[in-house]
Amino acid sequence: MTLTGWTLPQSPTGRAATVPPPPWHYSGDIIAVDFSADPARVAELAPEGFTPRGDGSCTFFFCDWCSAAERDPRVKDDPGKGQYKEAYVTVNGTFDGRPFGRVPYIWVDSELSLLRGQIQGFPKKLGEIYMTRAIEIGKGGARKTAGGRFAAHVSSLGRRLATAAVTLREAVTGAMPAGALPQIHTRLWPSLEHDQPAVHELSLVKVADVEIGTVWRGDAALELGASEFEEVDLLAPRSVGPGWVYTMAFSVVGGTTMPLRGAR
Amino acid sequence: MTLTGWTLPQSPTGRAATVPPPPWHYSGDIIAVDFSADPARVAELAPEGFTPRGDGSCTFFFCDWCSAAERDPRVKDDPGKGQYKEAYVTVNGTFDGRPFGRVPYIWVDSELSLLRGQIQGFPKKLGEIYMTRAIEIGKGGARKTAGGRFAAHVSSLGRRLATAAVTLREAVTGAMPAGALPQIHTRLWPSLEHDQPAVHELSLVKVADVEIGTVWRGDAALELGASEFEEVDLLAPRSVGPGWVYTMAFSVVGGTTMPLRGAR
Amino acid sequence: MTLTGWTLPQSPTGRAATVPPPPWHYSGDIIAVDFSADPARVAELAPEGFTPRGDGSCTFFFCDWCSAAERDPRVKDDPGKGQYKEAYVTVNGTFDGRPFGRVPYIWVDSELSLLRGQIQGFPKKLGEIYMTRAIEIGKGGARKTAGGRFAAHVSSLGRRLATAAVTLREAVTGAMPAGALPQIHTRLWPSLEHDQPAVHELSLVKVADVEIGTVWRGDAALELGASEFEEVDLLAPRSVGPGWVYTMAFSVVGGTTMPLRGAR
Amino acid sequence: MTLTGWTLPQSPTGRAATVPPPPWHYSGDIIAVDFSADPARVAELAPEGFTPRGDGSCTFFFCDWCSAAERDPRVKDDPGKGQYKEAYVTVNGTFDGRPFGRVPYIWVDSELSLLRGQIQGFPKKLGEIYMTRAIEIGKGGARKTAGGRFAAHVSSLGRRLATAAVTLREAVTGAMPAGALPQIHTRLWPSLEHDQPAVHELSLVKVADVEIGTVWRGDAALELGASEFEEVDLLAPRSVGPGWVYTMAFSVVGGTTMPLRGAR
């Protein structure tokens, strides 16, 4: 009669739980597009303590992840469990004076990622995501060479939320998207009884073992679209580029939380 | 810079949040099958304070819901948002001496339902669910008349978890599935920093305005299947029936919580 | 070594074939919206022999079908096989002087329907379709009463192709959507060797046992959207309404074909 | 009033058609497992003229394709259109005395691939397919090194049809799966009026520009599962291995057809 599991559903063995505890490991392919939005719209999305850069700096990321869990080999062993795609936007600025990104909106195509992300404070919703993946032989797709075109899009409930493309120009060293920053999240879990949430706090994820593969930079296009259930289109790009295509790996080994700031 | 929304993602208007607050309204079609499992397996799924009936009594439910949110007309207005299917099993018993059901495992095919359910304490995961819906004219499907056959199944990651069928025998009054009971749930939200969860408590949902349409009873079949990520097959049926097909409506108007019991 | 089956894949028993032969039976729920498009755009979609009405008359249909196959009980018995949704537009006119509809574009969410339809000459593609289904008790959805609002939408690759809503005004007798007509289709199956298709002919489906349930008429809204892979938006509505909500059943018992007309 | 398009739907521009004509280009990642089945079961799946090897030799392939169409840049440009996964089994033998494979069963997760394949004679159905994709940095997945484990599975209507895994042992040259052979297909398109199909013929696809990347060989596991709608489980493995992980590219530039043989 001892039910166990890091998340629901708990069971006698814990094997049915949706999310195993960290450490979690990630290896993925990234398509990213820097853009600038209306600074007033960006400012509206900043929690107390986070200061946007002021120039409307944002980055839209598409990621195709392979993920693993240190304590649950099933996540890595079953591609239907550990592999998923995600699409998100960052607004870029500072938190307590240091460069930070904030993710106001993010979509994933996996139950594991949805809940694992919300636990960290990512405001994940489900979406349908497609990304060009690089080929190495033949003519069926795009290659990671100058002129290679990498496209991506995300939709939800049949509404196209973002459509991006990056045409590679050159491999670069020491350069990354503007939004390649640590992130400040908000964890939020409602109460069933009270108006005040049961959990409402800022969170920082502890990341380790970051590796970056070859980074390609290029010309980019980005369109954001409207939905009855989304507000990402308020960040409509005023200028777009550059775009980025690269691989990345890291581990999440835990996190820290702190109270929300201001009179919330 | 005030971010609002009952759940993530919070935004200036709150329009992007996945789940609006209760009251929530539900109207749905139900296919249910009573069965008995190994009482020892049932007992393992009981939280402290919940006493299974002792005879292995369980019920498997498939539900095709239309849902609405009192404070967000978009849920009712867009069938892609408010309508969804779910499949769950109850183990049937008592809590503090009164008849109660416990839902150890449940799958839904909607993001809204997944999170709205977890907030209440339903251990929802995503699944692919199909259910026979009743027809009234023609020969394309099954009718709610004696002999009508209603089938349902649920799967996850390509593993069939439950396959059920009910062949209608008669409309009945005053009879319902064994698992048509109030339910005692566990709310669980992990901490990002500590071994102890941020939220871990028992919960009771406040239900109002229950309506039951015509209830059909009949002969039933039920098979439970195995998956690397599930344990529902441990409740393999020892005997099956009767089965039930009916419509139901109710509202969730809030909930109450209480501490977990025992040395957890 | 005798392989059998009405379609691929053929096997020793024929059990693996995707589509069993007719007769096929259908029972469904319909949401339809009459509208008028640019008559020049409508005329472009007419095959030789089909004369559009001239006023741009079109109808957009959303259907939630239960289907069965006379010679294969599995279609009716498994809701995952026989049940599906479809969305299509008709342009309304005459063929050889008699009232006929033509379906230039149609989307379905089922493999069975995709192929079964193409065999008849429906130009079916896959799409994601949502439709309000009527409730009879409670407050979770819309009822078939004056004021009940029935919405529907279809999308493909994350592009919203059509969004419709009908607000019921009254039950009517003897009235139906403008596009409730027999249909003239084109069957087309490419050759693997030659420029000329292996099959290219006009087709008429033999329909029997048509039943129409209560027909509700009401006010309607309809928007058509663009996609890189679709042209339905060229039929952008110039005027919209009325809308219709009703149930319908029929059987397909075969078909006849005739040569394409004109210098094709 | 000239409707154009290689497949349905035809339109004034041809832009809405599901499948553009060949040449088609493919670049992909393959996970394959050789196995032997009951030779009697294999023999049942051979069309007249095809002679199985006699030892029950079969190969199960999982492929993650990027595809392009020479005359329609949209296929390559939109990853939601051109990229897809497929799973298929070959029975291995000879046709007219030369080594050939036959594909009795195949599943894909894309409308384009479903129809493009059926036109060639592949008996494609829809399925849900997951495959481990190789990583190059980090710990989120499997690498193409000795010991790397590549898993794959395919399901349809919630029934797991095949589950495979290959643990890499060594990169090899000059070796390939037993089923890496040209294939003899059957094109079949039913008539709407007659018992005899409108199209029923053998077909050979003309392949050009084949490229094979590094080929890894290893130990393999394979399980086939049952479904009400499938017969692949009749090929239950009697022995399994080796397994293969490699990349491959080729173009389809057309095809030839010939009459079915024997008294069909």
Side-chain angles (χ1 to χ4, degrees), chain B residues 25 27 29 64-68 76-80 83 130-133 135 137-141 149 151 153 211 249, chain C residues 25 27 29 64 66-68 76-80 83 130-133 135 137-141 149 151 153 211 249:
Chain B
H25 308 298
S27 298
D29 294 299
D64 192 359
W65 291 116
C66 297
S67 76
K76 179 177 167 185
D77 283 354
D78 190 328
Q83 298 181 186
Y130 294 99
M131 296 171 59
T132 298
R133 64 189 185 84
I135 63 166
I137 55 176
K139 295 184 283 183
R149 183 178 176 282
H153 50 82
E211 282 183 76
Chain C
H25 307 299
S27 299
D29 294 300
D64 192 359
C66 297
S67 77
K76 180 177 166 184
D77 283 354
D78 190 328
Q83 297 182 187
Y130 294 98
M131 297 170 58
T132 299
R133 63 189 185 85
I135 63 166
I137 55 176
K139 295 184 283 184
R149 184 180 175 282
H153 51 81
E211 284 182 75

Side-chain angles (χ1 to χ4, degrees), chain A residues 27 29 64 78 133 137 153, chain D residues 27 29 64 78 133 137 153:
Chain A
S27 298
D29 294 299
D64 191 0
D78 190 328
R133 64 192 185 83
I137 56 175
H153 50 83
Chain D
S27 299
D29 294 299
D64 191 0
D78 190 328
R133 64 190 185 84
I137 55 176
H153 51 81

